[in-house]
Amino acid sequence: MDLNELLYDGVSRKFATYYLEHAMAEKNNSLYDQDYVEWAHEHGFLAESAYAYGLTDENLKDYLSDYDYYKVWPVNNWSRIWVNDKLTLKLMLSDSELTGFMPEYYYYSFDGMLKPLQDTSYHGGDTLDNFIKLLQDKKEFACKPCNGTASVGFVRLSYLDGDFYINGNKTDKEGIKKFVTENSNYVFTEYLRPSEQFAKYSPFIHTLRIVVINTNGDNPVIVGGYLRLPNKHSGEANYLVLDDSNKGKYNVFCEVDFETGKFGNAKLTYCDRVCATEVHPDTGEKIEGRIENYDKLKKLINYVSCKFSNLEYMGFDIGITDSGFKCMEINTHPGIKYMQIFEPFNKNPYMATYFQRKIDEINRMSSSEKQKRNNILR
């Protein structure tokens, strides 16, 4: 299929372009069997998903295809702007009982300028000097693009024993200031460390993805997700984009029972295969347990979902720390590959019905209605 065919079918130009570029890159991936790549693409699946699922003619109908999932974006209405950038989400949850549900936000960079945010301790005077003072107080900042995805652009700034560091590389005060002024649209926040329960796997924060469907606005249902643990390949960003340039590297994902909070059934996900593991590959710790205080987390997810009642489909990214649950971001079109490794969407009647309804709605649209969808950017 070419771009015009995808646009005619009602796919947004944004996701049509992404899908075609990704498919083209897979045709040049030396790890992939090109006959299998072609077969997967013919059925609407990217090869990376097909390899992850062990996709065959026999199980093909169990999975929601990448093409169909990209086609239905945006699932949510205009209210997705509430959570599409981290600053707006932070403000939406501030000044309420949900204030502590997100990390502390200290500064925002824009066009070489630095703006103090609600959780900074210093006001007045030189903002860059105040930034340095707060970094010395807090010891670590997490830095990420305000609209970033997939851990792209994540950086850690730190101050230890009188020295400054950027991602563990020693610098000085001026180096920190240079980084801040040269990286626009970054938020500088509290650096999260995992709770004792999860620190045994890695000193870096994990990601508990919880996906919610809330069609009526007042009855949210947790429909899936996963737990992603950092490893020596993914590092503190906690996610590694995999292709033939990093053969042999992997991410670590676990299945979660979202009724009970139990986790296990861990997988090492490579570019071209998925392997089971009982233990974390770095530490040897067995990957299983029950998320502490999980019932409280479920109530928080339910409360926020009802607060954002105009959003019917959300993916929460949660970090579990010694000071409680921290919502790192909310996605309005969370990736489905790692979810479907554990439960194919079309084997879940609720999910199958939900997405088929979305697809049918687009298929019934007139040409002019589809053209409007084509031009949606965010």
Side-chain angles (χ1 to χ4, degrees):
M1 299 180 76
D2 62 21
L3 178 60
N4 287 332
E5 289 177 294
L6 269 67
L7 296 177
Y8 181 80
D9 200 32
V11 185
S12 69
R13 183 176 298 273
K14 171 183 175 177
F15 270 98
T17 302
Y18 177 82
Y19 179 79
L20 291 172
E21 288 178 349
H22 203 142
M24 181 59 67
E26 292 186 336
K27 292 179 180 179
N28 297 311
N29 189 316
S30 61
L31 293 179
Y32 291 161
D33 179 293
Q34 289 304 311
D35 289 336
Y36 189 57
V37 170
E38 184 177 354
W39 174 84
H41 290 176
E42 286 175 354
H43 291 89
F45 290 86
L46 293 172
E48 68 167 81
S49 299
Y51 275 105
Y53 306 153
L55 202 64
T56 65
D57 286 319
E58 287 69 34
N59 66 9
L60 183 67
K61 292 184 178 180
D62 293 342
Y63 296 88
L64 180 66
S65 72
D66 296 298
Y67 178 83
D68 283 341
Y69 190 61
Y70 293 153
K71 178 176 177 174
V72 300
W73 181 88
V75 174
N76 293 293
N77 60 28
W78 65 268
S79 302
R80 60 189 178 274
I81 64 174
W82 291 348
V83 301
N84 271 349
D85 75 82
K86 298 175 180 66
L87 274 182
T88 303
L89 175 60
K90 174 69 172 179
L91 290 170
M92 290 286 290
L93 295 181
S94 294
D95 300 322
S96 75
E97 64 273 27
L98 296 169
T99 298
F101 190 41
M102 290 192 73
E104 294 182 340
Y105 272 44
Y106 304 130
Y107 290 95
Y108 171 68
S109 62
F110 182 74
D111 286 350
M113 298 183 291
L114 194 62
K115 302 290 187 179
L117 300 177
Q118 57 264 59
D119 297 317
T120 186
S121 305
Y122 296 101
H123 300 276
D126 186 280
T127 308
L128 275 172
D129 286 340
N130 289 341
F131 182 97
I132 294 295
K133 290 178 186 176
L134 190 61
L135 177 57
Q136 291 173 315
D137 292 345
K138 300 292 184 179
K139 307 303 181 188
E140 294 177 306
F141 284 172
C143 323
K144 44 203 169 186
C146 192
N147 312 98
T149 60
S151 300
V152 174
F154 180 89
V155 174
R156 173 167 56 104
L157 303 183
S158 54
Y159 177 76
L160 179 65
D161 296 330
D163 292 316
F164 293 94
Y165 298 86
I166 301 176
N167 278 344
N169 298 312
K170 192 173 180 179
T171 185
D172 56 19
K173 188 183 300 184
E174 295 308 312
I176 296 290
K177 291 182 177 181
K178 184 173 185 289
F179 173 86
V180 171
T181 55
E182 290 182 352
N183 287 274
S184 189
N185 195 37
Y186 261 64
V187 288
F188 300 86
T189 75
E190 174 185 4
Y191 188 92
L192 300 179
R193 290 287 183 177
S195 67
E196 183 178 354
Q197 181 182 20
F198 290 99
K200 64 184 179 182
Y201 302 120
S202 171
F204 302 125
I205 199 68
H206 46 272
T207 297
L208 175 63
R209 168 69 57 81
I210 301 178
V211 177
V212 172
I213 291 178
N214 187 22
T215 51
N216 297 326
D218 61 357
N219 187 31
V221 177
I222 296 176
V223 295
Y226 51 74
L227 172 64
R228 188 175 70 228
L229 299 174
N231 71 85
K232 63 184 178 183
H233 302 306
S234 65
E236 57 194 291
N238 178 9
Y239 182 71
L240 180 67
V241 177
L242 299 169
D243 54 34
D244 53 350
S245 69
N246 48 30
K247 178 181 179 181
K249 296 183 178 181
Y250 49 77
N251 292 298
V252 181
F253 284 83
C254 317
E255 186 173 11
V256 179
D257 181 333
F258 287 101
E259 183 61 34
T260 65
K262 292 182 179 179
F263 62 90
N265 188 26
K267 310 290 185 184
L268 306 183
T269 62
Y270 296 82
C271 176
D272 59 345
R273 64 193 188 281
V274 173
C275 301
T277 182
E278 292 187 355
V279 301
H280 193 284
D282 298 346
T283 65
E285 291 283 348
K286 192 166 186 178
I287 302 177
E288 68 173 19
R290 183 182 187 277
I291 297 167
E292 294 173 355
N293 299 314
Y294 179 68
D295 290 340
K296 179 180 179 181
L297 177 58
K298 280 204 298 184
K299 290 177 181 177
L300 279 168
I301 296 297
N302 184 82
Y303 187 87
V304 176
S305 298
C306 290
K307 182 179 178 69
F308 295 153
S309 57
N310 270 12
L311 296 172
E312 64 173 275
Y313 183 58
M314 291 183 286
F316 291 78
D317 282 356
I318 305 296
I320 304 166
T321 75
D322 284 332
S323 59
F325 300 107
K326 299 292 182 180
C327 180
M328 297 176 284
E329 62 183 25
I330 298 177
N331 303 276
T332 55
H333 208 70
I336 62 172
K337 180 178 77 173
Y338 298 107
M339 289 177 65
Q340 291 201 105
I341 287 174
F342 299 113
E343 183 182 33
F345 280 14
N346 291 339
K347 294 189 77 173
N348 178 322
Y350 185 89
M351 297 289 275
T353 300
Y354 179 80
F355 282 105
Q356 189 58 55
R357 185 170 69 249
K358 296 296 181 183
I359 293 166
D360 292 342
E361 287 172 0
I362 297 171
N363 290 340
R364 289 194 297 267
M365 287 181 177
S366 65
S367 295
S368 60
E369 289 173 324
K370 288 180 179 179
Q371 287 174 2
K372 288 181 180 179
R373 294 193 90 255
N374 295 160
N375 296 323
I376 298 173
L377 297 176
R378 291 189 61 195

